[in-house]
Amino acid sequence: MVVCGRRSSIKATSKNAYGKKRDRKDREVEEKPKVNEKKVDSSFVGIEDKGVKKKRSQERSVSLRRNSRSSSRSGDVKHQFGGDENAMDVSGQLGFERPDVNIGVDDVHQNDEDTSSPLLSVRASPQDSPDSRASTNVTSDQMNRASDLLMAVSVSADTNKTRITDLASSAMEELLKMALEGEPLWHIDGDGESLNGFEHMKEFGSVDATLREIMRMVEVGGPQCLPNLEPNDESPSECTDRPMLPKELEEEHLHAEASRQIGLVSTNPASVVEWLMDVNQWSLVFANIISRANLLQVLSTGVDGNYDGTLQLMTVELHLPTALVPTRESHFVRYCKQLGYGTWGVVDVSLENLFPYPASGFRRRLSGCLIQGMPEGCSKVIWVEHVAVDNRLVQSIYRPLVISGFTFSAKRWFAALIRHCQWLATLRARTAPTHDGVLLPQAGKESLLKLAERMTRSFWGDISACNENQWMPLPIRGAEDIRAMTKGSIPVPGMPPSSKIVFTTSIRLAVPPKRLFDFLRDENSRTKWDTRLFGHIIRELAYVINGNNPENRVSILQVNATPEEVEIFYLQESFSDDIGSYVIYAPVDALAMSGVLNGGSPEIVNILPCGFSILPDRPPLNGHGDVPGSLLTIAFHIIDLASTEEYIPPESVKTIFKVIAETAFLIKAAFTSDNVQGNLAGG
């Protein structure tokens, strides 16, 4: 096995294969977005009232179905893989107790009757290349939904296209109002904003006199007396507390979320529009949010060689950087219109109101942005996200953050846009020496940045709960939150030719996200959590700062076994924004690193991205500031010579558990030790 670049031979101690084969079980999954952001600015000028209306999405299939060949054994299943009484309970081993990593083969749940089924049978994801995540091909899941949409457009095509065009025009008008209006539509609270649902319904919904009265009573608050409408009943009017809205106004299990973000980006409006309308560029710019995007059909092309008037049918799968939160899948129409000189609008709207599709757990009611040209080649962007989502399948440790709307808010989309603009600016800028006097050649700097970007995109794709990632919990009692999958062994440019395994888990730490980020990115604290580097000397050989924050950087870390002996190099990218933080790294041998720094192609370098994603464990107050706890996702990408695309032997499972359990323990222990020492010093 190679754990982030270092090989250790792993052999199965028995020809018997343990565990069970795994199928996929489709299960509806949905998620959510939204958070409130900056104050509205009415200086967004030159906009004509034209546009587009709501938007639609779809449910998403995620989960796993396991096969058991022995019906007598199925009743013993207490966890995902069998209920062997000898299987050890490791439920506390991601806590502060040091994990017992000396797990025997008997500690792994075994299938005594099926000696041919693999311990972990996980089909490899076809998405080995991060750059292939945007495609005009559709997965089997998506094919059914896409066929339905295409059929709806094809039957009575002229009539349906007219209806969709009218819907898009109304949505654009609604986007203009949601983007530009302030109170009472948006409630301003400090640096954050929240959508007034009743004002939105009055402004954009179908509201009759009775419903208006109900809404007025809800707004006033407190008990309200409703008149008795029975002619022969002289009983007094009934007083009620805040009345419930009519059921038809509520989509069962769907929770509405809305957010808005306003700011400047260092690029022109035409570039932003192209990134949004070209499905491949959209997927790459927002790779930390989009697992997969497809262009299903172009219903209307633009005019004058640009995207003005373009109407296209699309599908997307959105993720969080964890395998424990289901993705959000949506089918929608995207409409682009030039609203004035240098001013554009792009809006997404679902089609549920037009076509009777099955119930969906995620709907983009209306989302989009306005882009206006500003001096010095910049653009002012107002981003609006408004969705309805079913969050019942979100894991408990993530539920408070996801339900708040923070994780898929307009702020997250806008932060990704800023990061891409900063990356492009850094790529084009003239190279400059670091504070240590190290000067990277221009070609070397560009190759290094492109390799780091490929690494981060691969990492985001590897750790999500997207359809392509067929995760399995480890067959060890108490380790159900540890997920593993094989990634196949098909030779792909830039990828190793052996069997690849990705494994991950997410834990909560009582440590502020900023403090955790600084600890994990610092090469001086690396030996406190990386067991493979105990006793080694690590130093940052060179770096390139990405943007204005010096903590957001691409680094080359040199690892020495002795002061004179260089063992390996690590490529590391660390960055943080208003939503979360990442520390992503991959081992690179000396020959490959030398080639990159001399301007060689980054596409031929083998990359096995490992690392961490950090989110706050609750939404920050008013959308800003630090919180006392963090949600940490740990992920490793390894090569295992003993495993195949369909088989992970017991010894490999033990190694997977050992690596991830020890890493989680050491990170927790580092902060516990710091706290104890701080208290002793203070005492």
Side-chain angles (χ1 to χ4, degrees), residues 96-200:
F96 288 94
E97 291 184 45
R98 182 152 189 106
D100 179 6
V101 295
N102 298 314
I103 307 171
V105 172
D106 292 339
D107 294 324
V108 179
H109 298 326
Q110 303 179 15
N111 186 334
D112 298 328
E113 299 185 25
D114 183 4
T115 60
S116 63
S117 62
L119 175 62
L120 287 179
S121 176
V122 278
R123 293 183 305 171
S125 164
Q127 296 298 102
D128 286 315
S129 171
D131 292 338
S132 67
R133 296 189 181 279
S135 172
T136 54
N137 297 324
V138 189
T139 63
S140 58
D141 253 15
Q142 296 167 320
M143 182 64 75
N144 294 331
R145 299 282 292 177
S147 298
D148 289 344
L149 290 170
L150 290 174
M151 180 66 69
V153 174
S154 299
V155 177
S156 303
D158 291 341
T159 302
N160 281 344
K161 286 183 179 180
T162 299
R163 297 169 67 196
I164 292 174
T165 300
D166 292 342
L167 180 65
S169 297
S170 322
M172 186 66 79
E173 294 173 358
E174 182 176 340
L175 174 66
L176 290 174
K177 294 179 181 178
M178 291 189 68
L180 299 177
E181 289 188 10
E183 292 182 328
L185 182 61
W186 294 94
H187 175 63
I188 312 297
D189 183 13
D191 293 326
E193 290 179 324
S194 59
L195 182 68
N196 186 322
F198 289 110
E199 286 295 330
H200 180 272

Side-chain angles (χ1 to χ4, degrees), residues 264-431:
L264 293 176
V265 294
S266 57
T267 192
N268 59 72
S271 295
V272 178
V273 170
E274 185 174 2
W275 295 341
L276 296 174
M277 299 305 295
D278 184 306
V279 68
N280 292 294
Q281 294 193 57
W282 185 47
S283 300
L284 295 179
V285 173
F286 301 97
N288 63 328
I289 306 175
I290 297 174
S291 296
R292 190 171 183 85
N294 299 284
L295 174 62
L296 303 180
Q297 185 171 342
V298 177
L299 304 178
S300 176
T301 57
V303 296
D304 299 329
N306 58 38
Y307 288 102
D308 183 23
T310 298
L311 185 65
Q312 53 195 33
L313 189 61
M314 303 175 69
T315 182
V316 70
E317 188 179 10
L318 310 177
H319 69 261
L320 267 186
T322 175
L324 300 184
V325 175
T327 58
R328 300 175 173 188
E329 196 169 354
S330 171
H331 293 80
F332 58 93
V333 167
R334 174 164 288 178
Y335 178 52
C336 176
K337 186 164 186 63
Q338 186 168 9
L339 303 168
Y341 179 75
T343 301
W344 294 78
V346 178
V347 67
D348 298 340
V349 57
S350 296
L351 300 177
E352 282 91 351
N353 291 338
L354 297 184
F355 306 108
Y357 299 120
S360 171
F362 174 59
R363 299 182 182 181
R364 296 182 67 120
R365 288 178 170 174
L366 181 146
S367 298
C369 62
L370 302 183
I371 310 110
Q372 183 184 32
M374 302 296 285
E376 299 181 357
C378 295
S379 299
K380 180 177 181 179
V381 176
I382 301 180
W383 199 293
V384 174
E385 285 288 317
H386 189 196
V387 303
V389 62
D390 182 353
N391 285 315
R392 289 175 296 167
L393 296 179
V394 175
Q395 289 272 353
S396 58
I397 65 169
Y398 279 95
R399 190 168 292 122
L401 188 67
V402 172
I403 289 178
S404 73
F406 181 78
T407 51
F408 287 92
S409 65
K411 177 179 286 187
R412 186 176 176 212
W413 288 93
F414 187 75
L417 182 62
I418 289 178
R419 179 183 178 274
H420 184 69
C421 292
Q422 291 176 339
W423 182 82
L424 287 176
T426 304
L427 188 69
R428 297 164 181 163
R430 298 288 299 174
T431 187

Side-chain angles (χ1 to χ4, degrees), residues 54 197-198 201 206 211 214-215 218 242-257 353 359-360 363 365 386-390:
K54 282 182 191 165
F198 289 110
M201 187 178 297
S206 177
L211 182 55
I214 294 176
M215 293 169 62
V218 173
R242 296 173 69 88
M244 298 294 290
L245 291 177
K247 187 174 181 179
E248 59 267 26
L249 298 179
E250 300 287 343
E251 295 167 309
E252 189 176 5
H253 306 307
L254 296 185
H255 174 68
E257 299 168 357
N353 291 338
S360 171
R363 299 182 182 181
R365 288 178 170 174
H386 189 196
V387 303
V389 62
D390 182 353

Side-chain angles (χ1 to χ4, degrees), residues 492-512:
V492 181
M495 300 296 289
S498 302
S499 296
K500 293 164 287 183
I501 303 175
V502 178
F503 51 101
T504 181
T505 193
S506 297
I507 59 175
R508 185 188 179 279
L509 295 173
V511 180

